[in-house]
Amino acid sequence: MTFKERGAIGEKAESRAESYFSKAGYFIARYGLNAKDVKDAYRVWHHIPSVLTGTPDFIMVVKDIPYFLEVKSCADYLKMKMHDIDIYKKWNNKLFPEVRLLMFVYSTSKNEHFIFTFDKLLRLVRQNNYPIERYKNNNKPYYKIPVEDLDG
């Protein structure tokens, strides 16, 4: 799958998240860097600190409580990069102690989304023996998490 194709799927997931939370009456605003919006991003991306390139996609407020929101899309498995988990740990109560990180994962194969805390993702990884695979294009390792595990 090309960068452009992945970007289109990611945009659909972000649009779905934005629509879902707006319809629920919550404040939601785009927050993070988006590589496709930064001219020559891949030429300079490696010069930008990873905590900045891994900024969550949105900031939102639910019942007077602020949250960061990271949006992911997948089919039957969430491919969660180990590198990204390390970055998200900083965004979850560390850089801003009063702001937790939420995850919104849209499954294209199931045409449904899952909303959960980043803490839940850490628990799932810790408690399960998910296979670790590597992306072919950059050799980065990721956990292969069945979307069914994200429900509930």
Side-chain angles (χ1 to χ4, degrees):
M1 187 179 296
T2 67
F3 172 74
K4 191 174 185 176
E5 291 168 329
R6 284 193 322 272
I9 293 169
E11 284 178 17
K12 183 177 181 179
E14 288 179 2
S15 175
R16 188 173 175 132
E18 208 165 7
S19 174
Y20 174 83
F21 288 111
S22 292
K23 285 179 183 174
Y26 302 128
F27 170 82
I28 183 167
R30 292 201 175 272
Y31 183 75
L33 285 176
N34 193 333
K36 70 177 185 52
D37 294 334
V38 180
K39 187 177 167 103
D40 296 325
Y42 285 99
R43 185 177 57 79
V44 299
W45 205 250
H46 63 281
H47 294 294
I48 302 170
S50 61
V51 72
L52 296 177
T53 60
T55 302
D57 300 307
F58 295 93
I59 189 163
M60 52 187 288
V61 178
V62 177
K63 299 179 183 173
D64 299 328
I65 300 171
Y67 293 94
F68 289 118
L69 181 70
E70 179 61 24
V71 178
K72 299 287 185 190
S73 60
C74 64
D76 295 317
Y77 295 92
L78 172 62
K79 297 177 179 180
M80 196 68 222
K81 284 185 269 188
M82 298 167 98
H83 173 76
D84 288 351
I85 288 175
D86 289 340
I87 293 168
Y88 298 150
K89 284 178 182 177
K90 294 174 183 163
W91 286 100
N92 187 45
N93 292 107
K94 295 236 183 341
L95 293 172
F96 302 94
E98 66 280 7
V99 185
R100 294 180 62 204
L101 178 62
L102 297 178
M103 306 294 294
F104 182 102
V105 176
Y106 172 62
S107 168
T108 57
S109 63
K110 300 200 180 303
N111 193 32
E112 63 181 299
H113 63 263
F114 305 90
I115 303 166
F116 51 93
T117 65
F118 179 70
D119 293 324
K120 176 182 176 173
L121 178 69
L122 292 177
R123 271 193 311 279
L124 286 171
V125 167
R126 193 172 47 248
Q127 294 172 353
N128 294 280
N129 192 23
Y130 294 127
I132 296 173
E133 298 187 2
R134 290 183 176 271
Y135 282 102
K136 289 178 177 43
N137 65 335
N138 60 17
N139 205 35
K140 289 187 177 180
Y142 63 86
Y143 292 104
K144 187 176 178 182
I145 304 170
V147 292
E148 292 81 13
D149 288 4
L150 306 177
D151 199 13

